[in-house]
Amino acid sequence: MTSRTLPLFATIAIFLIAYLVCYLQFPAMLSTRVIGNLLTDNAYLGIVAVGMTVVILSGGIDLSVGSVIAFSGVFIAVMLRDTGLHPLVVFALLLAVTTAFGAFMGGLIHVLAMPPFIVTLAGMFLARGAGYMLSVESVPIQHPFYEVLKDAYYLMPGKGRLTLLGVAMLLSVAGGMILAHRTRFGTRVFAMGGGAQTAQLMGVPVGLTTVQIYAFSGFMAGLSGVAFSIYTASGYPLAMVGTELNAIAAVVIGGTILTGGAGYVFGTLIGVLTMGLIQTYIVFDGSLSSWWTKIVIGALLLMFILLQKGLLRLGTARAAA
Amino acid sequence: QTVGFSQIGSESGWRAAETTLTRQQAEERGIDLKFSDAQQRQENQISAMRSFIAQGVDAILLAPVVATGWDSVLEEAQEAEIPVVLLDRQVDSSEDLYLTAVGSDLVHEGEVAGQWLVDNVGDEECRVVELQGTTGSSPAIKRKQGFENAIEGSDNIEIVRSQTGDFTRTGGKEVMESFLQAEDGGGNICALFAHNDDMAIGAIQAMKEAGVNPGEDVKVVSIDGVPDIFRAMADGDANATVELTPNMAGPAFDALNAYWEDGTTPPKFIQTESRLYTQEDDPEAEYEARKDLGY
Amino acid sequence: MPRVIQRVLPQLLTLAALMALVSVFFPDFLEITYSDGRLVGPVIDILKRGAPVALLAIGMTLVIATRGIDLSVGATMAICGACSAWAISAGYGLAGALGFAMLAGLAAGLWNGALVAVFGIQPIVATLILMTAGRGVAQLITEGRILTFNHEGLAFFGSGDILGVPMPTLIWVLLGVLVALLVRRTALGLLIEAIGINRRASTLAGINSRVLLIAVYMASGFCAAWAGIVATADIRGADANNSGLWLELDAILAVVIGGNSLLGGRFSIAASLLGAMIIQTIDTGILLAGFPSEFNLVIKAALVLVILVLQSPNLAPRFARIARRRRGTPAAGKLTTREAGE
Amino acid sequence: MLLTIRSLTKTFPGTRALDSVDFDLRAGEVHALLGENGAGKSTLIKCLTGAYQRDEGELTLDGAPISPQSTLEAQELGIGTVYQEVNLLPNLTVAENLTFGRQPTRFGMVDGRAMRRQAEEMLSGYGVDVDVRRDLGTYSVAIQQIVAIARAVTLSGKVLILDEPTASLDSREVAMLFDVVRSLREQGLGIIFISHFLDQVFEISDRVTVLRNGCRVATDDIAGLERLRLIEHMLGHELEDETREGRHAHVPSDPSERTLHFEGVGRRGLIEPFDLSVGRGEVIGLAGLLGSGRTESAEVLFGIKPTQTGTARDENGEIALRNPREAVAAGFGFAPEDRKTDGIVADLSVRENIALALQARRGWARPISRAEQNRLADHYIDRLDIRTSDAEKAVGDLSGGNQQKVVLARWLAMNPRFFILDEPTRGIDVGAHAEILRLIEEVTADGMSILVISSELDELVAVADRVIVVRDRRHVAQLTGAEVETDTIVRAIAAPDADSDEEAA
Ligand SMILES: Nc1ncnc2c1ncn2[C@@H]1O[C@H](COP(=O)(O)OP(=O)(O)OP(=O)(O)O)[C@@H](O)[C@H]1O
Ligand SMILES: Nc1ncnc2c1ncn2[C@@H]1O[C@H](COP(=O)(O)OP(=O)(O)OP(=O)(O)O)[C@@H](O)[C@H]1O
Ligand SMILES: [Mg+2]
Ligand SMILES: [Mg+2]
């Protein structure tokens, strides 16, 4: 275990311990149903968090993803309602749009030398606004193909469902892992996170890479939008408010450093599952009022982060000794 | 019996009251209520319902944040033979998928408000400003639609400005201020229609501060029937409100009990009354009656 | 030209341009009348409505100068508003209400500051925790309802006026001037900038960066407390659910439109305040112009983007150079993206 | 001619860094580029490699005009560069840094094993023991420097540029580097070498070009060039008494006069507990190999890495050193080794950087008046000859050597009683070098005590009254009086582990 992988192992350890604690209190937590739900219910978050991980690894941030997912849902629903296009064609169109949108933001960030936080904040307003312009109301999706997608699941023993969405998330994570840790592009991303000026001196085409990074995030947000539209079979411009913050929290819990340059895509998966676990635990408990729910979520978030810090400190101290 | 309740969130006093009443009703009937706050997010509601199913509750109450997108999770509940009762808002899924829905008709609420205005302005020229709810939310869309239906036949009534106040007091006040600026200090406005009472209360304050006399110079009609609007009516600042009762759980539990006992299936829609209250309805007493309900 | 004016010139120009634009859609925009002893007019409205964001922007400027960010200010606003409404209903009087609110704000800041400076949690995440939990705390105080009160003294902070000027305006101007004086007349400004640019080097130079960081987050909490007081006084009730919702983003936007770098370092409070007014002008302008509300967000996003482009560090020198060339002075060397210096 | 530069001009706001400079590089030569701090050497390099955009001037490579817009383009043209401050990525592994941009791939994926093999090959000629799978950041500056060189060497098909590559290397590694450079020269590469160490310049270069204030003042063959003449070119005047006697000959150190005592201070994993007593006006040198623990000793003394054991005391009793603030309060000062991350506050002005520590000590409520700050800044700009267009320039925009002087000025303004200098002359030109040594003499005459860490033994010999030798994170020997000589120090550093009888006092 090197100092680099330490945060990852800390994250995994904490997740497992937390799961154990939950199981001891509610034995039903270990059913395949809950595990299947954990994957399915967090699929959209997992997919978008992969994109977010890459952005954060490069030292950036993308606040627009929640709005882009909402936009995607509305776009798909409206297109399916108003045109005769097959959903797959609509998906392709949508991914082209969101990828281009991400690329556009990346371009602005580079050309204007503006901080990503602000450019993507404007992007967040813009994407949600665009969603409103397509439709103010929520639009249901009724297409036979969606029935097919929805019913594509593998029934695990114990009635848990391993759905298409859950599998799609796992595949996205695997893809993200390869992209971030096994390609030249990934190394460039880490390089930018290590220091943009240095990266430039080492020959990273900073402009191009920035565009690619945000385009990737836009693509993943679009993909997550597709997943979300399958999940809810509708498009709603008000959906997903604040999802970007959940995604960021998942990435951070997963052990990626917000300033960039260090982290693991796999950690993000654990982060997402951890967030899902918190949610599930609160629902299983079912006694918290609305306000205590918020406080407890905050407190658990804090606990995870502090535990992680503690484990890290312990680890480095041992390594030094 | 254990019942899971997936609530939208706690975005307004009305919703807090609904939560409080649901808890009260459950307690009275000795039902173990599992409560989940979805913080305005449909995805949280869906995953909460799935957790309820995984936990094996006996029934689920759902106050859906949005009408669409519930088919698959409702199907799952059905497969697990867990009855689902919808509270206060509707879904556009097939009726077979849930036991019943308790709620009011949002369009009808708007119509009641609009009708009151039509009845009260007579033949005068009336320029109405409208404070919408959160853009895209179904109450905002449906209440607007109902109000427009009601005033359709009256050519003398016209909506001249319409903006979102996000269902909040601050929003209502801020938007009303700009309406007043834009409409000659309020001189051109004859009535205000607000999609909920909170915005109306904010707007009343804005009018008072601008030297406009709400209730007289500008008629105020809104929807929900929260305690504060009754006080405003008692003070003569508001004219009418359409009540939306926060006690949706009572009828829901009744229906569930009947269903558990002998499998009686209730009607698919149990409509609560959308009652109109005006200054004549002893607002002071109404205020007293409601002020401790957790609004 | 005095240095301060020179620093805020881009913001002033933006604001002027924006006002001209709104005037096109709403011709009476610049009209200010004096009636019933109060100034009335859209511009006065902007100065008053912009108070919460302006107040938040003051604290946010300091936090951002230390290379941090404070996402919790909206929730802190809600907590402080709830505290003041609760205190006034519980009979602690005006001083009690203001005192409790300010204490709550300082406590929130202390919490954030401790997480950032002592536990070393990154600011976004540290303040995200309070952003989530804080609103819960506020709702805990109000039990989810709108806690209304009837106290003219407290309401005065929201809707009163002195010599015709609305109280909220006076509060943000006063607090802005006070904080600006505090940081510029003492060495605080310099020390804050130093830890924002290079915390390690500053610590080695003997600056107590930990205490300073905590103090800065507390200042942000204090400003949020006043924003909460104004918002609560304005509607004569504490709306824990909605007070300050998503306002942190507007505050950050104001700071950035004010030309302050999110990477910390040099800051100008005056410029941030102008940024807040720019945002409020956009918001009010949209309302006055009477577009359907579906368009609000798109219009706001488009205007913000245009402003960002105009103020971008890459383009601004270019405009400046063109202007200088017009005046006939020689142009400076071309700077690419904050060139890689050693 | 391999590479020609014609009338290259580059202006920064307020400074003309390069003024129509010509420069030629032949294939198969080492061409030294010399000049004072701020003369424009690094700027010239950066204009050449596209890191900066030049204002005017033509570049040709192999007779064809070139105009690299980015460092990537320069790399592709066969120009490999080591920039002045190490410019590698500490968060990537050594192997990734070495092969960056050209990692071997299989099916579009990076082939980790091939990459490691390639990296190990690249490093093989330099005699360092490095695990290429570890993060670069876990290695010392010296190792990073070598990695940067190895990378640049591999990238340089035609031209290799080394901007002060030896600043943090010790003599063994310098020798190794020069072997590599010589063999590259034989292969016909053109090499540009920037250094402030004239000995090294004379050892390795074939020709020199001297810049002064952004202008080229001379280009000459090294053979037959006199050292003093070269210095005159650089400074524009003669250097007064460049070589001097070691001062230990003059100032005998009497243990009974020592006022500051550290007993058994240390920290697990960093440095073993050691004792140290410091006398008024005494200069103590700390010698050792790279990574031996010199910097750690200093950091422990200054409270950056608080001691786990031991105490510090002076005439008035014990002093707490739990953090730098307490150290400053106790009258200590510390000019760190890595000025970029630990020293300067880049975006603040020269004036503010100089006033910073003083202000921190006075507290925020008592600001130093603007007039006083200006006075301080002007005084030190003048005294240390800091080359800057004015006191309001951001320190980050100064040349490397001048940044170092600003950090020194910051602490001198505090007038500390115990001043720790970690590699104080790194990257400083000959003129300033002499100036700093003179300064040390001056302040110690006023009673300041100094601890100097330096890899340049000549420098230690020149200033130190006493030299402590550090090896493997332990203080192993102390040399005093006549023992302070280059040979004895070298021997003490290299001595086999017979240190039990020689342990530092
Ligand atoms: N990014 C920049 N902005 C403004 N001025 C700069 C910048 N970079 C360098 N300068 C100025 O250009 C001049 C030349 O600097 P340069 O770094 O080339 O010197 P140098 O010869 O490499 O000195 P040293 O030996 O200290 O490294 C200096 O006066 C410096 O202040
Ligand atoms: N030649 C080397 N091979 C492997 N590791 C080394 C080598 N030189 C230094 N290191 C590592 O670098 C780390 C930091 O050394 P550091 O620079 O702090 O020591 P130092 O005595 O201050 O040396 P200097 O100041 O000359 O660089 C040490 O932990 C050491 O293990
Ligand atoms: Mg240089
Ligand atoms: Mg060292």
Side-chain angles (χ1 to χ4, degrees), chain A residues 134-158:
Chain A
L134 284 180
S135 165
V136 183
E137 291 177 66
S138 77
V139 184
I141 299 176
Q142 274 134 356
H143 195 283
F145 185 65
Y146 262 72
E147 298 296 320
V148 177
L149 292 178
K150 218 171 57 188
D151 293 337
Y153 57 80
Y154 164 72
L155 201 61
M156 295 183 280

Side-chain angles (χ1 to χ4, degrees), chain C residues 339 341-342, chain D residues 12 15 17 36-43 52 84 164 196 387 393 397-402 427:
Chain C
E339 284 175 305
E342 333 161 319
Chain D
F12 293 113
T15 331
E36 289 178 286
N37 293 132
K41 305 179 294 291
S42 300
T43 307
Y52 286 170
Q84 184 168 5
E164 297 197 26
H196 291 297
R387 301 292 167 87
K393 186 163 182 157
D397 291 343
L398 294 189
S399 79
N402 285 308

Side-chain angles (χ1 to χ4, degrees), chain A residues 117 245, chain C residues 69-74 124 127-128 131 248-249 252:
Chain A
F117 191 98
L245 295 177
Chain C
I69 204 155
D70 189 349
L71 293 182
S72 73
V73 289
I124 292 195
T127 55
L128 183 65
M131 178 185 182
E248 50 278 343
L249 295 182
I252 294 167

Side-chain angles (χ1 to χ4, degrees), chain B residues 10-12 16 132 161 163-164 168-170 173-174 177-178 181-182 198 205 209 228 231 291 295, chain C residues 26 38 41-42 45 48-49 139 144-146 148 159 234-236 241-242 280 287-288 290-291 293 296:
Chain B
S10 56
E11 75 281 6
S12 67
Q132 301 177 30
R161 282 188 181 260
Q163 252 294 345
T164 175
T168 67
R169 279 195 198 186
T170 317
K173 188 171 181 196
E174 174 170 5
E177 276 171 3
S178 71
Q181 298 280 1
D198 281 333
Q205 282 175 16
E209 281 166 24
D228 284 347
R231 194 157 57 185
K291 72 174 197 244
Y295 279 101
Chain C
F26 191 79
R38 317 188 325 147
D45 256 13
K48 176 180 155 196
R49 281 280 146 224
Q139 289 174 338
R145 52 183 113 182
I146 298 181
T148 47
S159 44
D234 183 36
I235 57 166
R236 295 162 187 255
N241 311 313
N242 299 298
Q280 190 59 42
L287 289 181
L288 287 173
F291 296 116
S293 43
N296 292 6

